[in-house]
Structures are given as C-alpha cells and as structure tokens.
Amino acid sequence: MDSFDYSSSEKAEASELQRMIAIEQQKAQFQAQVHNFTDVCWDKCVDSLGSKLDSRTSTCLVNCVERFIDTTLSITNRFTQMVQKGPH
C-alpha cells in the first residue's frame, strides 16, 4: 500500500510526464539512428569532398540509407512479432 494518496490531478500530471519522457526517448533513439546511418553511409560512399556530390556518390548515399532503413524496419517488425507471440 502506498504511503501517499495522490489526487487525480497529480496522477494525470504524472501520466503526462511519463508520456512526454517516452516521446523524448523516442526522439533521442531516432536521432541516434540518423547519426549512425549518416556515419556508416558517409564512410561507405564519400571518397572526397567537392563543391557538390557526384551522381555515383549521391546514388550510393541514397541506396545506403534506404537499405539501412529497410533493415531497421525488418528487425523491428521481427521483434514485434516475437513479442506478440510471447514466451513458449
């Protein structure tokens, strides 16, 4: 039994705070993913810098990012399926 008796407004505020924290955590995870694929794709595709990207480099970057996103979505979907199935 809790030693505190929270009012409904305090419970609502706590719930809203938890929701906001979850949103900020999702934003941080998204930013980390963007940073990660930026690093990976940059290292893979960019040989030298000029005033603009050549078509080979541009195509490589687009393909790299698309594959990275596809892979991330595939892994996420697989984990979701595993969680929905539950323990055996």
Side-chain angles (χ1 to χ4, degrees):
M1 180 183 225
D2 284 332
S3 61
F4 297 104
D5 185 23
Y6 295 108
S7 70
S8 62
S9 67
E10 289 172 325
K11 288 178 184 175
E13 287 176 11
S15 178
E16 177 64 13
L17 181 59
Q18 287 176 338
R19 187 185 71 76
M20 291 173 62
I21 289 170
I23 289 170
E24 290 303 315
Q25 287 173 332
Q26 288 174 344
K27 286 180 186 178
Q29 288 174 343
F30 176 77
Q31 289 173 340
Q33 282 292 89
V34 168
H35 180 73
N36 189 23
F37 69 67
T38 299
D39 282 347
V40 169
C41 294
W42 184 269
D43 291 343
K44 175 182 167 80
C45 297
V46 178
D47 296 325
S48 63
L49 281 179
S51 59
K52 65 180 192 174
L53 298 176
D54 62 31
S55 97
R56 184 196 68 76
T57 303
S58 181
T59 300
C60 180
L61 287 168
V62 168
N63 289 336
C64 180
V65 170
E66 286 177 352
R67 296 302 72 79
F68 200 93
I69 291 170
D70 289 345
T71 302
T72 301
L73 289 174
S74 179
I75 292 168
T76 302
N77 289 336
R78 180 66 181 130
F79 281 137
T80 300
Q81 290 171 355
M82 291 171 59
V83 167
Q84 289 173 347
K85 285 182 180 179
H88 286 50

